[in-house]
Amino acid sequence: MSMVIPNPSELHMLKTLMGQEPIEDMVLHLFVNNYTPTLNDVLSAYTEMAGLGYASIAIPHGNWSIVTDGVNNRAVATFPEQDWTFQDGTATTVYGYYLTRALTGDLWYSERFATSHIVQNLGDKIKLTLVMALSQ
């Protein structure tokens, strides 16, 4: 599934782009409820993972690589691969991820994985590279 930017987040993105709101770092979270993101989402739609050594990950705004995609001639922002390494515990199904703004906690965007991940064993991993592309 593609990332979903909820309608309220679009407003914040445009205000940030136009200098009407400050740039914020992001926080990357995994969600464990069997949910498909929509344009009307609010943060409470997501159940963040807990246990198995999980912790959300800080995503500093200055660490994105931004280039023009030579194939589609569009702007693409990529954040270096992030990964979680889990501990032993009860099997947990992870359905996707979402980003929040670090200071306000507002939902920024989310994405459901094409295939959910089940983690329960020491050393189980989820690896994720964030990619955001602009298109018309």
Side-chain angles (χ1 to χ4, degrees), residues 7-27:
N7 294 329
S9 298
E10 288 180 352
L11 178 65
H12 291 298
M13 286 181 179
L14 282 175
K15 284 185 173 185
T16 300
L17 181 66
M18 299 303 165
Q20 295 178 6
E21 286 188 5
I23 296 172
E24 288 187 41
D25 291 338
M26 299 289 150
V27 180

Side-chain angles (χ1 to χ4, degrees), residues 84-107:
W84 292 267
T85 303
F86 298 97
Q87 301 171 356
D88 286 335
T90 304
T92 301
T93 302
V94 180
Y95 292 95
Y97 71 93
Y98 61 96
L99 270 83
T100 58
R101 296 168 71 183
L103 297 176
T104 63
D106 294 332
L107 179 63

Side-chain angles (χ1 to χ4, degrees), residues 75-131:
V76 178
T78 305
F79 197 85
E81 181 179 89
Q82 300 300 299
D83 67 292
W84 292 267
T85 303
F86 298 97
Q87 301 171 356
D88 286 335
T90 304
T92 301
T93 302
V94 180
Y95 292 95
Y97 71 93
Y98 61 96
L99 270 83
T100 58
R101 296 168 71 183
L103 297 176
T104 63
D106 294 332
L107 179 63
W108 198 245
Y109 74 81
S110 59
E111 184 171 8
R112 184 180 171 110
F113 295 136
T115 304
S116 60
H117 299 269
I118 299 175
V119 294
Q120 75 179 59
N121 301 306
L122 180 63
D124 282 351
K125 288 184 180 278
I126 292 178
K127 295 182 178 190
L128 178 63
T129 299
L130 301 171
V131 178

Side-chain angles (χ1 to χ4, degrees), residues 26-43:
M26 299 289 150
V27 180
L28 177 61
H29 310 264
L30 296 176
F31 68 88
V32 296
N33 52 322
N34 188 1
Y35 182 73
T36 300
T38 72
L39 293 175
N40 296 312
D41 278 355
V42 293
L43 185 57

